[in-house]
PDB file of all heavy atoms in Angstrom:
ATOM      1  N   LEU B 430      41.466   2.271  -7.975  1.00  0.00           N
ATOM      2  CA  LEU B 430      41.321   1.687  -6.639  1.00  0.00           C
ATOM      3  C   LEU B 430      40.094   2.263  -5.933  1.00  0.00           C
ATOM      4  O   LEU B 430      39.344   1.538  -5.283  1.00  0.00           O
ATOM      5  CB  LEU B 430      42.584   1.996  -5.827  1.00  0.00           C
ATOM      6  CG  LEU B 430      42.993   0.990  -4.771  1.00  0.00           C
ATOM      7  CD1 LEU B 430      43.311  -0.332  -5.403  1.00  0.00           C
ATOM      8  CD2 LEU B 430      44.204   1.490  -4.009  1.00  0.00           C
ATOM      9  N   PHE B 431      39.909   3.556  -6.141  1.00  0.00           N
ATOM     10  CA  PHE B 431      38.791   4.212  -5.484  1.00  0.00           C
ATOM     11  C   PHE B 431      37.447   3.706  -6.020  1.00  0.00           C
ATOM     12  O   PHE B 431      36.524   3.422  -5.270  1.00  0.00           O
ATOM     13  CB  PHE B 431      38.894   5.735  -5.677  1.00  0.00           C
ATOM     14  CG  PHE B 431      37.917   6.502  -4.861  1.00  0.00           C
ATOM     15  CD1 PHE B 431      38.070   6.563  -3.483  1.00  0.00           C
ATOM     16  CD2 PHE B 431      36.850   7.143  -5.449  1.00  0.00           C
ATOM     17  CE1 PHE B 431      37.168   7.259  -2.706  1.00  0.00           C
ATOM     18  CE2 PHE B 431      35.937   7.834  -4.683  1.00  0.00           C
ATOM     19  CZ  PHE B 431      36.102   7.898  -3.308  1.00  0.00           C
ATOM     20  N   SER B 432      37.374   3.538  -7.341  1.00  0.00           N
ATOM     21  CA  SER B 432      36.097   3.084  -7.908  1.00  0.00           C
ATOM     22  C   SER B 432      35.836   1.620  -7.522  1.00  0.00           C
ATOM     23  O   SER B 432      34.691   1.232  -7.286  1.00  0.00           O
ATOM     24  CB  SER B 432      36.099   3.248  -9.423  1.00  0.00           C
ATOM     25  OG  SER B 432      37.053   2.405  -9.983  1.00  0.00           O
ATOM     26  N   LEU B 433      36.887   0.833  -7.447  1.00  0.00           N
ATOM     27  CA  LEU B 433      36.722  -0.547  -7.000  1.00  0.00           C
ATOM     28  C   LEU B 433      36.199  -0.582  -5.573  1.00  0.00           C
ATOM     29  O   LEU B 433      35.328  -1.393  -5.233  1.00  0.00           O
ATOM     30  CB  LEU B 433      38.052  -1.291  -7.048  1.00  0.00           C
ATOM     31  CG  LEU B 433      38.550  -1.734  -8.412  1.00  0.00           C
ATOM     32  CD1 LEU B 433      39.965  -2.260  -8.312  1.00  0.00           C
ATOM     33  CD2 LEU B 433      37.632  -2.790  -8.980  1.00  0.00           C
ATOM     34  N   TYR B 434      36.718   0.331  -4.792  1.00  0.00           N
ATOM     35  CA  TYR B 434      36.287   0.375  -3.395  1.00  0.00           C
ATOM     36  C   TYR B 434      34.805   0.735  -3.296  1.00  0.00           C
ATOM     37  O   TYR B 434      34.072   0.153  -2.504  1.00  0.00           O
ATOM     38  CB  TYR B 434      37.130   1.404  -2.641  1.00  0.00           C
ATOM     39  CG  TYR B 434      36.660   1.643  -1.238  1.00  0.00           C
ATOM     40  CD1 TYR B 434      36.836   0.659  -0.263  1.00  0.00           C
ATOM     41  CD2 TYR B 434      36.041   2.828  -0.873  1.00  0.00           C
ATOM     42  CE1 TYR B 434      36.397   0.853   1.026  1.00  0.00           C
ATOM     43  CE2 TYR B 434      35.600   3.035   0.415  1.00  0.00           C
ATOM     44  CZ  TYR B 434      35.785   2.034   1.355  1.00  0.00           C
ATOM     45  OH  TYR B 434      35.337   2.231   2.631  1.00  0.00           O
ATOM     46  N   GLN B 435      34.388   1.668  -4.141  1.00  0.00           N
ATOM     47  CA  GLN B 435      32.970   2.046  -4.137  1.00  0.00           C
ATOM     48  C   GLN B 435      32.089   0.837  -4.430  1.00  0.00           C
ATOM     49  O   GLN B 435      31.053   0.638  -3.807  1.00  0.00           O
ATOM     50  CB  GLN B 435      32.704   3.137  -5.182  1.00  0.00           C
ATOM     51  CG  GLN B 435      33.339   4.467  -4.869  1.00  0.00           C
ATOM     52  CD  GLN B 435      32.737   5.114  -3.640  1.00  0.00           C
ATOM     53  OE1 GLN B 435      31.670   4.737  -3.201  1.00  0.00           O
ATOM     54  NE2 GLN B 435      33.440   6.075  -3.061  1.00  0.00           N
ATOM     55  N   ASN B 436      32.531   0.015  -5.387  1.00  0.00           N
ATOM     56  CA  ASN B 436      31.764  -1.188  -5.692  1.00  0.00           C
ATOM     57  C   ASN B 436      31.765  -2.162  -4.532  1.00  0.00           C
ATOM     58  O   ASN B 436      30.788  -2.836  -4.261  1.00  0.00           O
ATOM     59  CB  ASN B 436      32.359  -1.904  -6.914  1.00  0.00           C
ATOM     60  CG  ASN B 436      31.994  -1.197  -8.181  1.00  0.00           C
ATOM     61  OD1 ASN B 436      31.012  -0.471  -8.217  1.00  0.00           O
ATOM     62  ND2 ASN B 436      32.802  -1.383  -9.211  1.00  0.00           N
ATOM     63  N   LEU B 437      32.917  -2.230  -3.884  1.00  0.00           N
ATOM     64  CA  LEU B 437      33.099  -3.236  -2.840  1.00  0.00           C
ATOM     65  C   LEU B 437      32.208  -2.967  -1.639  1.00  0.00           C
ATOM     66  O   LEU B 437      31.702  -3.905  -1.009  1.00  0.00           O
ATOM     67  CB  LEU B 437      34.568  -3.220  -2.403  1.00  0.00           C
ATOM     68  CG  LEU B 437      35.097  -4.466  -1.731  1.00  0.00           C
ATOM     69  CD1 LEU B 437      35.085  -5.611  -2.702  1.00  0.00           C
ATOM     70  CD2 LEU B 437      36.502  -4.219  -1.229  1.00  0.00           C
ATOM     71  N   ILE B 438      32.006  -1.710  -1.303  1.00  0.00           N
ATOM     72  CA  ILE B 438      31.269  -1.456  -0.068  1.00  0.00           C
ATOM     73  C   ILE B 438      29.779  -1.270  -0.275  1.00  0.00           C
ATOM     74  O   ILE B 438      29.045  -1.104   0.685  1.00  0.00           O
ATOM     75  CB  ILE B 438      31.820  -0.246   0.725  1.00  0.00           C
ATOM     76  CG1 ILE B 438      31.816   0.985  -0.141  1.00  0.00           C
ATOM     77  CG2 ILE B 438      33.165  -0.533   1.321  1.00  0.00           C
ATOM     78  CD1 ILE B 438      31.838   2.255   0.660  1.00  0.00           C
ATOM     79  N   THR B 439      29.304  -1.289  -1.530  1.00  0.00           N
ATOM     80  CA  THR B 439      27.852  -1.193  -1.682  1.00  0.00           C
ATOM     81  C   THR B 439      27.226  -2.490  -1.189  1.00  0.00           C
ATOM     82  O   THR B 439      27.704  -3.578  -1.477  1.00  0.00           O
ATOM     83  CB  THR B 439      27.439  -0.973  -3.149  1.00  0.00           C
ATOM     84  OG1 THR B 439      28.195  -1.862  -3.942  1.00  0.00           O
ATOM     85  CG2 THR B 439      27.646   0.441  -3.574  1.00  0.00           C
ATOM     86  N   ASP B 440      26.157  -2.325  -0.449  1.00  0.00           N
ATOM     87  CA  ASP B 440      25.482  -3.474   0.124  1.00  0.00           C
ATOM     88  C   ASP B 440      24.745  -4.230  -0.987  1.00  0.00           C
ATOM     89  O   ASP B 440      23.908  -3.653  -1.667  1.00  0.00           O
ATOM     90  CB  ASP B 440      24.474  -2.959   1.170  1.00  0.00           C
ATOM     91  CG  ASP B 440      23.879  -4.085   1.963  1.00  0.00           C
ATOM     92  OD1 ASP B 440      24.085  -5.253   1.575  1.00  0.00           O
ATOM     93  OD2 ASP B 440      23.206  -3.806   2.965  1.00  0.00           O
ATOM     94  N   PRO B 441      25.066  -5.507  -1.174  1.00  0.00           N
ATOM     95  CA  PRO B 441      24.404  -6.245  -2.260  1.00  0.00           C
ATOM     96  C   PRO B 441      22.893  -6.321  -2.083  1.00  0.00           C
ATOM     97  O   PRO B 441      22.154  -6.440  -3.043  1.00  0.00           O
ATOM     98  CB  PRO B 441      25.041  -7.633  -2.190  1.00  0.00           C
ATOM     99  CG  PRO B 441      25.699  -7.708  -0.866  1.00  0.00           C
ATOM    100  CD  PRO B 441      26.052  -6.318  -0.481  1.00  0.00           C
TER     101      PRO B 441
END
Side-chain angles (χ1 to χ4, degrees):
Chain B
L430 210 62
F431 189 70
S432 65
L433 284 171
Y434 173 71
Q435 292 294 343
N436 284 337
L437 202 65
I438 57 159
T439 45
D440 189 349

